Amino acid sequence: MSKHFLTHGHGRALSRHHKIAAAGVAALGAAAIGLSAVPSSASTTATTSETALPAAKVAYSTEPIKNVRADITDPTAGAGLKIEKIEARFEAKREAAARAAAERKAAAAAAERKAEEARRAEEAASRAAERARLKAEARKAVPKAYSDTLDGWIRESLAIMRKHGIPGSYEGIRRNIMRESSGNPKAINLWDINARNGIPSKGLLQVIPPTFEAYHVPGTSKNIYDPVANIVAACNYAADKYGTMDNVDSAY
């Protein structure tokens, strides 16, 4: 075994070179410690300046927080205003629609009234035109002789009625004559209420004197027993009260 190695429990012997190296390392370490212990002038100045500066106070402010809150609140307020404007526009449109509907309804009612008035005026004009036509035809008609019979009396009466625009038909007149007087132009009722009142019904169509006078047609006899005068006056009365003698089916 080499002499440089020791037995168990002893350290290894250092060579001369090892000892010199260890001493150099120790010297370098001591120098480094010395340099770090002595501060340089620049470091001292910097440290002194930093030490001389007073500690700056930290100021706290709520302004940024307020601004943030405003930024959050303002959009919400703007949205609320927009909703109110939209609702106002919808309400205005609804009211405008209601007004328009009411105006349309009023216009329709007015148009309906106007149409009804026009219809009535047209009907009145038509009736007037028909009466005028009948009168014109009567004036143009060639006078003809009528037999002195019930048939002749009715036909002559119809010619006069057409001339004066009085409605009635041959059948309607004859039917009422047969019921009222059986065709007797001198018939008189002495038993009904008119007779008891002193104004008995007379003639073919049993007309009372006041009615005959009120509805007498010019150009006919003023004798209530005259067949033609009696028929024409009675038909004139029936036209005023019932529309036409054709509508009369009982005592009138």
Side-chain angles (χ1 to χ4, degrees), residues 167-238:
S169 68
Y170 183 97
E171 292 76 11
I173 293 172
R174 191 177 192 285
R175 171 169 47 81
N176 279 282
I177 287 175
M178 298 308 294
R179 186 190 66 251
E180 293 293 330
S181 66
S182 299
N184 179 10
K186 301 297 182 181
I188 182 172
N189 187 323
L190 298 175
W191 54 268
D192 66 3
I193 185 64
N194 291 321
R196 290 196 294 272
N197 290 333
I199 48 172
S201 303
K202 300 176 181 180
L204 287 175
L205 284 169
Q206 292 292 282
V207 183
I208 61 175
T211 300
F212 179 80
E213 293 173 4
Y215 290 91
H216 175 264
V217 176
T220 62
S221 172
K222 291 187 177 181
N223 181 359
I224 195 171
Y225 288 107
D226 180 85
V228 174
N230 188 281
I231 291 172
V232 174
C235 287
N236 193 21
Y237 167 79

Side-chain angles (χ1 to χ4, degrees), residues 104-172:
R104 287 194 298 271
K105 185 176 180 180
E112 186 176 353
R113 288 194 300 271
K114 187 175 181 180
E116 179 64 17
E117 291 173 358
R119 184 187 65 79
R120 291 180 180 177
E122 184 178 356
E123 290 179 353
S126 178
R127 289 193 296 269
E130 179 64 14
R131 287 194 295 269
R133 185 186 67 79
L134 292 174
K135 289 180 180 180
E137 289 180 356
R139 285 193 296 269
K140 292 178 181 178
V142 177
K144 58 183 296 185
Y146 297 97
S147 62
D148 192 20
T149 62
L150 179 59
D151 178 75
W153 300 331
I154 294 174
R155 293 185 185 281
E156 185 177 356
S157 297
L158 285 170
I160 296 171
M161 289 165 58
R162 282 194 294 271
K163 183 178 179 180
H164 291 275
I166 300 171
S169 68
Y170 183 97
E171 292 76 11

